[in-house]
């Protein structure tokens, strides 16, 4: 871990409805690299990503304790500026939710609220993002049609494009390719690899091959706890913990 | 629990005496009285049932004329069309409408001393052109004049308009809802004039006028002063007396009536109306702010039943 | 547009919202306050436990039990009847029919129109029919008139709420082999809070309306036992007592209004409990 | 198994009949009103009824112009007052308010929906009339009784608060949280999320609630008639008295229903109101459909 | 194709909003086997599955022409009984939607509406289905908690369990493992393989390896058309069409 840790999580605990969902999370996520979070379904990966972004704030019966430091700023400090934090971190949620507007407006939404008004600038942002995510050809004829008519895979890519259009410093992707075919998956993976030169990327993924292909570090979460964290090859090929070994066995064999 | 009310035939039964059901609907003004009368009637004739409901004079008339009820309670004049459809009217009580001002009215002294003539009232309520009190009578002050009339269709307004030779729709002024509303509006505005039923002006228990509101006397003979025999507004007794003897003109005093369809034939119905026209029943009226019929009127109404 | 300006905009609107909420809240509190202040001095046990005895309306003994029971019968009966009619209609329009079909469009338009028709017209309409059928003013007449009055409220509110249910939910049930009716029941479950809102709105409208019952339910001092007897209702009792010259009786009008408010309060609380109980289960 | 399908079909037919009969009910009311108003047309032309401004039934003068204007102005004032207040309140309650406030306000709305119009009228006389008379009107003119279209509009606005706030809150609260999260995680402030996403998604519902509220305002009777002065003259300023159609009907129906021509005139008033509401709804529905079409899934 | 074709699609065309989404589909899906539909995101896979189930019926602006015969019964015939058809075919939708009730009730919903009332029978059905889908251990303590609080992957398995509890003759699975970790995916795949002895299974999947592992036949859809249909190995290893070759290239290499 040579790089500067950008996100530092200290003693994070999350309770939902009295259930202890995340337990004593301590982790430092390095700058300018791809970190993958893996773990069985329901182990708390999505919850972890959401705490980075304070999206659990207004859910009923949720208590979050501990601290999350981003660029040495504690985002759970009372004086923290949530909007600002969220702009800095782009969360690409697991279930794509297009905003109730056209495809174009979905992508332009972020830049617009952050002050870009110029039509041609917006046009080029939209085009670039849609091309980057491989959606351009599929939707270029109906940019002004409603976004919720897209297929699920298209929605997923649209939400990716929308999230990347605000140029977040940190990208949090929650199973961002789960609904995509191999070709589109490839496009997105390439995109992430390109982006990591400038951004910090945290991905949740179930596909160990994908984790292997694109990530520098891997976090293995099990039942709300971090079991192992380290460089990709170490965790996948020579896991220290028995639990990890069990989990990646399918991959190794 | 729910089902249909038992029907019993109407008439005379040797064992039970009078028995049957009387349905009554109509004006709110008469409703409390009729309820009282029915209670007393039932003490004598326990096997008579009453269904009394209120809903407005027109509803009472419509119900009575279509045979839905036996008696419609009426607090306004009966229109020609209603007579044509078989309406038969028996007066059962009297009421009076008086003009009212605030006791803070700058002209109160003048008003109590000289009253207002009929044609001055007409200028106030029908012409609707006067904007200041002295445009009605030069001896009044030049204060603003605000005329209040009733915004809801009401027997009182109809009667007041009839006194001026018009109908309610010809009265001009700011419409106020309901008698209590009118009394309150008058109390609050020293420059206003309006009209009320007497029981909203006099406290029934004490017979005195309510604080804040004063009756404007009518200068009946138009001589510009209020002679002693024109001045009977001091308390409720003297006013009702004046109404009963006809010293206070009609309109603005008025009849409250029962409307039945055709001349009544049903025994129970006739008995009940007769009961209402007895002195004993009539005596209830005064303590409720209404005025009993006098002897001649009672006789006249009773003959309508024969 | 910097973050400061955007935050400022949010702050300004937040202030506006708080002000709006205060205005709305306080005008409403004022109304309830008026009723409480003017009604409490006249609120006695007799008011709620007795029917008017002779002379009640000139300030003597009695209470408005007849009107309380009449109102509960009328509003309760109408709400039940109204639900029985309007739930199927709104389900049909939203679940059985294809979106955008002519029937569903015209039905929505029809209900919007019905919603705006003054209650006096419903009263007059029901009254005309009653004269035509030879039915006199009675509990039944009142229930029918109020049912007509609240059906549009129920249908349109339910309609709006059902429209917000995602289509995927409907598909989920359908693809398990549920019939449309069974699917509808799943959706009704999802919108239960909305149903409470609709019921409360319409019950409130039904129990508070004067004009619809004025000609149809009649007004009687007897506690209604049979469905074809005239029945007093609270709003009419309030209306009627307010116009009395006697201060005592006017005061009782406010006490009656207070009773009416308390009845609604109880119903709001009970349905709230039902609603949260349901949420717990979900 | 088969029974379920038969049941489903049966229910479908029952519902179809219910729906169709409820649609025809509108026609029934329209036709009923027309028939009862018909005697009036024998003596008056439609145009003279619309344009005439003299109201004197006993002299056979039936001018409805003042009443139409009265209705429109009172309703307009009510909407102008109520709409922004209620939208802001509903948004505040669903999105910003602490659960405690929400738990008090929303049930309060339901209670208020049940308070009889008479009480609103009395409240109007106690509070709104004096305020208009003493404080607002003197700023603009010499004297006003306080019984004005403005007063009527304000009281009406308060009466439609409950329905607007309840339905709009109900619609807003069904917006999925994920959708809001999507916008928030793009760095939008909460307000921006509400303005651009929540309100947009809820727009058909909000518009529908507005349409309902306006319809209700057109038809509200007793409370308005107690405070708006009821002078049968078309108002020229908000401080003039006005006389809306429902007030005309309610005022006179019980008293005059046994006089045929008067009865017809009142039924014509109802018919007029019916037509106004119908046109209003038709137009707003056309607009609503456009919106729905644009954003529906 | 030795088996009896259970679903026969003839000249199926679907237009949505004037766009031609499915073009001239002709296919016979064999009985008691697993058929996988593959193809790029947005090519019309979900739409195709939905036409098997008449779920497009109530969407505005959709026209379906052609016929779909299931067991020689045309489901688009005017007299066809939709509820019956839908019971026969269990569609497991791409985006899991738990019904607004408890976890238990979600699974018991289908059996209940189809007439099972007995508590202990229901209990055992629920337990069996949840165990089959590997969810039992995760939720057995909160069977009566709300289903929409589950993680996405758990929801997906719940919806699987719910759909299988109806015992449909034909299972239509739309990316049924997209949100699952390798272990859960394995459980589900095994389940499908076991089920095919009795049922006909049609799956949409993006994971070509998965298609290879479990399916007998493969349909390749591209831009609304069926490009190739045949036994798994043929299509994946020796595709006849150039388009297919392109698509499965990533897999072959
Ligand atoms: N109203 C519409 N107008 C234009 N195109 C539409 C409309 N509705 C759906 N489509 C298109 O239909 C196509 C088929 O969608 P479908 O959901 O069947 O794709 P899919 O193959 O399941 O994709 P995925 O793998 O992403 O789920 C998509 O390209 C979608 O954009
Ligand atoms: N109200 C609740 N009561 C009990 N458990 C809950 C509640 N809400 C969430 N959980 C549990 O929290 C755990 C973490 O959920 P989360 O969505 O973070 O999982 P995940 O790792 O993202 O899973 P997946 O890969 O399926 O998306 C899940 O087991 C879920 O069931
Ligand atoms: Mg997750
Ligand atoms: Mg799909």
């Amino acid at each position: 871990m040579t790089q500067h840790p950008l996100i530092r999580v200290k003693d994070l605990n999350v309770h939902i409805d009295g259930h202890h969902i995340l337990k004593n999370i301590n982790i430092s996520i390095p700058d300018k690299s791809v970190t993958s979070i893996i773990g069985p379904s329901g182990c708390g990966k999505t919850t972890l990503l959401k705490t980075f972004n304070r999206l659990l704030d207004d859910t009923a019966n949720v208590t979050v304790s501990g601290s999350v430091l981003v660029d040495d700023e504690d985002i759970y400090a009372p004086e923290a500026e949530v909007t600002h934090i969220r702009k800095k971190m782009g969360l690409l949620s697991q279930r794509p939710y297009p905003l109730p507007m056209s495809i174009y407006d979905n992508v332009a939404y972020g830049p617009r609220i952050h002050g870009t008004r110029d039509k041609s600038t917006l046009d080029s942002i939209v085009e670039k993002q849609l091309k980057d995510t491989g959606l351009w050809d599929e939707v270029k004829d109906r940019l002004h049609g409603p976004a919720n008519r897209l297929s699920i895979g298209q929605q997923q890519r649209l939400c990716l494009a929308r999230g990347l259009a605000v140029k977040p410093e940190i990208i949090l992707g929650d199973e961002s390719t789960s609904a995509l075919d191999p070709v589109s998956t490839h496009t997105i993976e390439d995109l992430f690899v390109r982006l990591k030169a400038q951004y910090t990327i945290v991905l949740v993924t179930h596909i160990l091959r994908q984790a292997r292909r694109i990530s520098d570090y891997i976090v293995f979460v099990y039942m709300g706890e971090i079991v192992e964290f380290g460089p990709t090859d170490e965790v996948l090929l020579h896991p220290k913990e028995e639990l990890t070994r069990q989990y990646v066995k399918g991959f190794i064999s | 629990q729910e089902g249909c009310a038992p029907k019993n035939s109407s008439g005379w039964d040797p064992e039970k005496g009078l028995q049957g059901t009387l349905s009554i609907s109509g004006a709110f003004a008469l409703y409390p009285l009729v309820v009282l009368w029915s209670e007393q009637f039932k003490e004598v004739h326990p096997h008579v049932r009453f269904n009394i409901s209120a809903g407005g004079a027109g509803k009472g008339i419509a119900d009575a004329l279509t045979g839905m009820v036996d008696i419609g309670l009426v607090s306004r004049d009966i229109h020609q069309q209603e007579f044509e459809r078989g309406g038969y009217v028996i007066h059962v009580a009297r009421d009076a409408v008086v003009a009212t001002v605030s006791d803070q009215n700058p002209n109160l002294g003048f008003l109590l001393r000289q009253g207002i003539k009929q044609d001055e009232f007409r200028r106030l309520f029908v012409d609707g052109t006067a904007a200041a009190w002295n445009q009605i009578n030069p001896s009044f002050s030049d204060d603003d004049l605000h005329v209040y009339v009733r915004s809801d269709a009401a027997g009182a307004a109809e009667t007041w308009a009839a006194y001026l030779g018009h109908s309610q729709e010809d009265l001009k002024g700011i419409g106020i809802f309901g008698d209590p509303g009118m009394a309150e509006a008058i109390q609050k505005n020293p420059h206003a004039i309006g009209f009320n039923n007497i029981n909203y002006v006099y406290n029934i228990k004490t017979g005195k006028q309510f604080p804040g509101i004063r009756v404007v006397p009518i200068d009946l003979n138009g001589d510009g002063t209020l002679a002693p025999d024109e001045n009977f507004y001091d308390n409720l007794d003297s006013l009702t007396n004046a109404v009963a003897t006809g010293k206070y003109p009609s309109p603005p005093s008025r009849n409250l009536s029962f409307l039945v369809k055709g001349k009544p034939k049903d025994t129970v119905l006739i008995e009940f109306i007769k009961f209402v026209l007895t002195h004993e029943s009539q005596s209830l009226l005064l303590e409720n702010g209404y005025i009993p019929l006098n002897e001649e009127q009672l006789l006249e109404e009773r003959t309508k039943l024969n | 547009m910097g973050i400061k300006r955007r935050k400022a905009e949010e702050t300004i609107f937040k202030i506006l919202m708080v002000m709006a909420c205060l205005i709305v809240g306080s005008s409403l509190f004022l109304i309830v306050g008026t009723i409480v202040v003017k009604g409490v001095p006249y609120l006695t046990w007799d008011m709620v436990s007795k029917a008017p005895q002779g002379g009640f309306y000139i300030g003597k003994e009695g209470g408005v039990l007849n009107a309380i029971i009449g109102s509960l019968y009328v509003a309760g009966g109408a709400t039940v009847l109204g639900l029985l009619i309007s739930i199927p209609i709104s389900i049909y329009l939203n679940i059985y029919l294809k979106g955008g079909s002519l029937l569903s469009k015209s039905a929505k338009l029809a209900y919007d129109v019905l919603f705006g028709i003054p209650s006096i017209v419903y009263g007059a309409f029901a009254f005309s029919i009653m004269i035509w059928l030879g039915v006199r003013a009675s509990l039944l007449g009142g229930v029918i008139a109020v049912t007509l009055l609240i059906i549009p409220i129920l249908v349109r509110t339910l309609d709006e709420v059902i429209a917000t249910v995602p289509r995927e939910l409907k598909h989920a049930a359908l693809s398990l082999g549920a019939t449309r009716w069974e699917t509808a029941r799943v959706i009704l479950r999802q919108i239960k809070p909305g149903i409470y809102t609709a019921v409360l709105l319409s019950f409130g409208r039904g129990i508070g309306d004067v004009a619809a019952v004025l000609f149809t339910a009649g007004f009687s001092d007897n506690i209604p036992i049979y469905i074809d007897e005239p029945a007093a209702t609270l709003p009419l009792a309030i209306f009627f007592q307010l116009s009395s010259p006697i201060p005592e009786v006017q005061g009782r009008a406010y006490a009656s209004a207070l009773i009416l408010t308390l009845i609604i309060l109880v119903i709001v609380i009970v349905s709230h409990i039902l609603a949260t109980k349901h949420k717990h289960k979900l | 198994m088969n029974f379920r399908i038969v049941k489903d079909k049966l229910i479908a037919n029952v519902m179809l009949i219910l729906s169709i009969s409820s649609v025809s009910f509108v026609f029934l009311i329209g036709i009923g009103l027309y028939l009862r108003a018909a005697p009036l047309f024998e003596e008056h032309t439609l145009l003279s009824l619309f344009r005439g401004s003299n109201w004197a039934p006993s002299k056979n003068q039936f001018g409805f112009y003042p009443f139409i204007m009265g209705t429109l102005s009172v309703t307009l004032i009510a909407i102008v007052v109520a709409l922004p207040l209620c939208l802001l309140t509903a948004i505040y309650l669903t999105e910003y308010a602490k659960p405690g406030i929400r738990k008090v306000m929303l049930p309060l709305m339901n209670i208020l929906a049940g308070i009889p119009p008479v009480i609103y009228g009395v409240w109007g006389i106690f509070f709104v009339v004096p305020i208009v008379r003493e404080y607002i009107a003197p700023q603009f003119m010499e004297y006003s009784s306080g019984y004005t279209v403005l007063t009527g509009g304000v009281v009406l606005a308060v009466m439609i608060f409950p329905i607007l706030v309840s339905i709009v809150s109900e619609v807003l609260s069904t917006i999925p949280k994920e959708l809001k999260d999507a916008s928030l995680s793009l760095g939008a402030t909460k307000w921006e999320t509400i303005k651009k996403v929540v309100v947009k998604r809820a727009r058909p519902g909000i518009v529908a609630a507005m349409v309902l509220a306006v319809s209700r305002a057109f038809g509200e009777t007793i409370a308005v008639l107690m405070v708006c002065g009821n002078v049968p003259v078309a108002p020229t300023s908000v401080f003039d008295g006005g006389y809306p159609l429902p007030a005309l009907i309610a005022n006179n129906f019980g008293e005059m229903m046994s006089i045929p021509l008067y009865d017809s005139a009142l039924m014509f008033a109802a018919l007029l109101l019916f037509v106004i509401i119908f046109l209003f709804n038709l137009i707003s529905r056309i607009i609503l459909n456009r919106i729905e079409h644009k954003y529906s899934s």
Side-chain angles (χ1 to χ4, degrees), chain C residues 83-208:
Chain C
L83 273 177
L84 287 181
I85 296 172
S86 49
I87 288 190
I89 292 179
S90 44
I91 287 177
Y92 190 77
L93 296 183
N94 284 290
I95 299 173
Y96 279 60
L97 287 180
K98 250 191 190 188
S101 81
L102 187 66
L103 178 58
S104 89
K105 273 186 191 162
S106 44
K108 284 179 189 186
L109 176 62
Y111 280 105
D112 279 351
V113 174
L114 289 176
F115 194 88
I117 291 177
S119 48
I120 182 96
V121 175
Y122 284 107
F125 190 82
F127 182 64
S128 312
I129 293 177
M130 285 162 68
I131 287 193
W132 186 57
L133 293 175
V135 179
R136 49 174 307 211
S138 60
L139 204 53
L140 180 66
V143 170
I144 291 173
V146 175
T147 308
L148 292 182
L149 177 70
I150 62 173
I151 284 180
I153 307 178
L154 282 170
V155 173
R156 288 298 285 121
T157 317
L158 288 176
D159 191 50
E160 278 319 313
V161 182
I162 293 182
T164 61
V165 175
R167 216 188 12 244
E168 282 89 342
L169 185 67
K170 182 178 164 187
H171 285 181
L174 282 179
S175 50
L176 292 172
T179 61
R180 291 168 298 181
W181 174 242
E182 286 154 353
T183 309
R185 293 190 20 200
V186 173
I187 288 173
L188 286 183
R189 223 184 145 105
Q190 169 99 345
I191 59 160
K192 227 171 198 171
I195 297 180
Y196 286 118
T197 305
V199 168
L200 289 178
L201 278 178
S202 56
F203 181 84
R205 179 88 199 271
I207 204 170

Side-chain angles (χ1 to χ4, degrees), chain D residues 42 82 92 110 124 161 196 198 251 262 276:
Chain D
E42 287 167 13
Y92 182 74
N110 291 321
F161 281 171
K196 298 196 169 133
V198 175
N251 251 340
Y262 214 132
I276 292 176

Side-chain angles (χ1 to χ4, degrees), chain A residues 46 94 174-175:
Chain A
T46 299
Q94 187 169 5
D174 198 351
E175 303 188 27

Side-chain angles (χ1 to χ4, degrees), chain D residues 103-239:
Chain D
K103 275 190 191 130
V104 174
M105 283 291 282
L106 287 178
L108 184 67
M109 293 293 147
N110 291 321
I111 294 174
L112 282 154
I115 287 182
V118 200
I119 297 296
Y120 282 93
V122 171
W123 175 79
I125 293 175
F126 276 138
F127 288 95
V128 189
V129 170
I131 290 176
V132 170
R133 181 178 54 217
E134 311 286 334
Y135 301 104
I136 303 178
Q139 316 281 332
F140 301 95
M141 60 196 318
E142 261 181 39
Y143 171 77
S144 163
S145 62
Y147 292 88
T148 62
V149 287
L150 177 65
T151 322
V154 169
V155 170
L156 191 51
V158 175
M159 287 200 72
I160 59 177
F161 281 171
I163 201 156
L164 260 180
V165 175
S166 301
I167 301 186
V168 174
S169 314
E170 197 54 56
V171 170
L172 288 181
S173 65
T174 58
I175 306 293
K177 185 175 176 313
E178 286 88 345
L179 196 63
K180 292 184 227 165
D181 284 353
S183 167
L184 288 178
S185 41
L186 293 170
T189 61
K190 194 154 180 177
W191 172 245
E192 284 162 340
T193 304
I194 290 164
K195 192 169 64 173
K196 298 196 169 133
V197 177
V198 175
V199 170
K200 200 159 195 168
R201 167 83 177 250
R203 191 144 76 183
I206 293 175
V207 174
M210 275 158 43
V211 173
L212 286 178
V214 177
S215 299
R216 177 86 167 81
F218 272 126
E220 181 46 51
T221 320
I222 307 283
V224 182
L225 85 86
M226 289 174 77
V227 295
C228 70
N230 294 359
V231 272
V233 177
T236 51
S237 90
V238 295
F239 298 110

Side-chain angles (χ1 to χ4, degrees), chain A residues 151-153 179:
Chain A
S151 84
I152 308 276

Side-chain angles (χ1 to χ4, degrees), chain A residues 172-231:
Chain A
L172 310 170
D174 198 351
E175 303 188 27
S176 296
T177 62
S178 63
L180 300 185
D181 59 291
V183 181
S184 310
T185 305
H186 215 81
T187 316
I188 303 300
E189 286 178 5
D190 283 355
L191 179 64
F192 283 142
V193 172
R194 262 189 291 135
L195 289 175
K196 86 169 177 187
Q198 300 154 42
Y199 305 109
T200 302
I201 300 176
V202 183
L203 297 177
V204 170
T205 181
H206 282 311
I207 312 168
L208 300 182
R209 270 169 226 282
Q210 183 175 66
R212 174 89 200 276
R213 280 197 292 269
I214 59 173
S215 58
D216 304 302
Y217 300 93
I218 284 190
V219 185
F220 174 58
V221 181
Y222 189 79
M223 307 256 294
E225 283 176 283
I226 293 187
V227 175
E228 196 160 348
F229 171 47

